[in-house]
Amino acid sequence: MQQHKKVQVTAVQMTSLPEPQQNLKIIEQLLEQLPAARPQLVVLPEACLCFGAGDKKQRSYAELYEPTAPLQGRIAELARQHSIYLLVGTMPIIDDANAEKFSAASLLFGPDGECLARYNKIHLFDVDVADNTKTYRESQWTEAGEQVVTVETEFGTLGLAVCYDVRFPELFRALRSKGAEIIALPSAFTKVTGNAHWHVLTRARAIEQQCYVVAGAQVGEHANGRETYGHALIIDAWGNVVSECDGATSPCLASTHVDLESLTSIRSNIPVAKHFARSKKVIHE
């Protein structure tokens, strides 16, 4: 595949609602505001099509993984309409109609509407937080993923991760080893953990792996009372936040034009991927 190495990247911030059709309307409105540059990668937040209704409700909206399914079909249509690479942060996907649990699946649709990749969230959010929700047990309804996923595009190699994954640098190392130049990180960080850790973790992953990080985000108070942090952002391979919905509490876009050739000098001057072989050898001895 011929690679242009230059791409517009856009992280979307939303306050998603419980009903998919409501959220699709919001997504449609936001996509109308995109910069004109193409190719363009657009990263929607985690749970962008259904948020705040509870995991049981998400299961009721789960679709089999197939292009003709209604929600997947509509996202594919939007990618084609706007000629963009459109990543559904996550949506509930099942591989068996009788399955009790669903996958929190990130789906990447290309400018022709074809689904190019699927990543099932590996690390599930089973934690306790000092906020209104207090206890989160994502694994009750969600099946953990088991595969590290990258995908080749016309602008370079895209790695896929989701929200809580950002706390596990081993996954990001694996994405880099598979060639990732940009890592998409759709998220729904809680307001409490986001305020403490969001910028530190996302910048650290970008610096460590010398990749761009494009993180869509949920923001505000949702129907179930959960509060999310927002700050959809884009970070370059040097750890600079180059675009951000900084403090915005409503839907918005963080967008910038990047040249992936900039990774060459960073990776050459500080060859961490090469040096990692040494630490890996020591650690496993």
Side-chain angles (χ1 to χ4, degrees):
M1 179 183 295
Q2 183 179 3
Q3 294 187 349
H4 301 294
K5 291 297 183 182
K6 295 182 180 180
V7 60
Q8 187 79 24
V9 290
T10 299
V12 176
Q13 180 165 292
M14 295 176 61
T15 308
S16 289
L17 302 165
E19 297 295 326
Q21 294 305 320
Q22 296 174 303
N23 294 313
L24 282 168
K25 289 180 180 178
I26 296 169
I27 292 168
E28 290 168 6
Q29 292 168 358
L30 288 168
L31 294 183
E32 292 293 338
Q33 302 172 31
L34 290 175
R38 300 292 185 274
Q40 183 166 176
L41 168 67
V42 179
V43 177
L44 297 170
E46 182 179 22
C48 57
L49 296 181
C50 178
F51 198 105
D55 290 335
K56 186 174 182 180
K57 190 69 171 179
Q58 282 207 62
R59 173 60 184 86
S60 72
Y61 289 129
E63 295 182 339
L64 291 169
Y65 180 47
E66 53 188 35
T68 57
L71 296 178
Q72 293 167 74
R74 181 59 185 138
I75 295 294
E77 183 181 339
L78 288 171
R80 187 166 48 247
Q81 175 186 336
H82 292 277
S83 192
I84 56 175
Y85 291 85
L86 182 57
L87 183 77
V88 179
T90 59
M91 62 178 292
I93 293 289
I94 52 175
D95 296 296
D96 178 347
N98 297 315
E100 179 180 343
K101 293 185 176 183
F102 55 85
S103 299
S106 280
L107 304 181
L108 178 69
F109 294 87
D112 61 358
E114 179 184 357
C115 187
L116 303 176
R118 169 184 172 180
Y119 166 67
N120 295 338
K121 185 181 181 183
I122 292 175
H123 300 99
L124 302 182
F125 196 58
D126 288 359
V127 306
D128 299 312
V129 178
D131 63 5
N132 293 335
T133 303
K134 300 188 184 309
T135 298
Y136 298 80
R137 295 294 182 265
E138 190 175 15
S139 64
Q140 183 176 352
W141 285 93
T142 308
E143 193 75 42
E146 297 181 344
Q147 292 185 319
V148 176
V149 177
T150 59
V151 57
E152 298 297 323
T153 72
E154 66 184 281
F155 51 82
T157 304
L158 177 67
L160 302 183
V162 174
C163 199
Y164 189 50
D165 283 335
V166 77
R167 294 183 183 270
F168 302 89
E170 301 86 350
L171 173 59
F172 287 72
R173 170 65 65 184
L175 291 169
R176 167 71 191 274
S177 70
K178 289 170 68 74
E181 297 164 289
I182 299 174
I183 296 174
L185 185 71
S187 298
F189 253 61
T190 72
K191 187 174 182 180
V192 170
T193 58
N195 187 58
H197 301 147
W198 175 245
H199 290 87
V200 174
L201 288 169
T202 52
R203 292 185 67 201
R205 298 298 85 86
I207 293 166
E208 291 165 351
Q209 307 313 330
Q210 300 171 320
C211 291
Y212 281 90
V213 171
V214 183
Q218 294 283 354
V219 69
E221 186 170 344
H222 302 268
N224 60 354
R226 181 174 172 181
E227 292 182 285
T228 50
Y229 181 64
H231 293 266
L233 50 71
I234 299 162
I235 303 170
D236 69 16
W238 196 246
N240 298 307
V241 177
V242 292
S243 186
E244 179 178 9
C245 295
D246 186 8
T249 58
S250 57
C252 66
L253 305 176
S255 191
T256 191
H257 193 68
V258 303
D259 184 350
L260 296 180
E261 293 291 355
S262 66
L263 301 181
T264 302
S265 61
I266 292 173
R267 293 179 173 187
S268 175
N269 292 338
I270 307 178
V272 293
K274 179 181 177 181
H275 295 159
F276 177 70
R278 174 60 182 166
S279 63
K280 185 177 180 181
K281 181 174 183 287
V282 172
I283 289 167
H284 289 284
E285 283 183 344

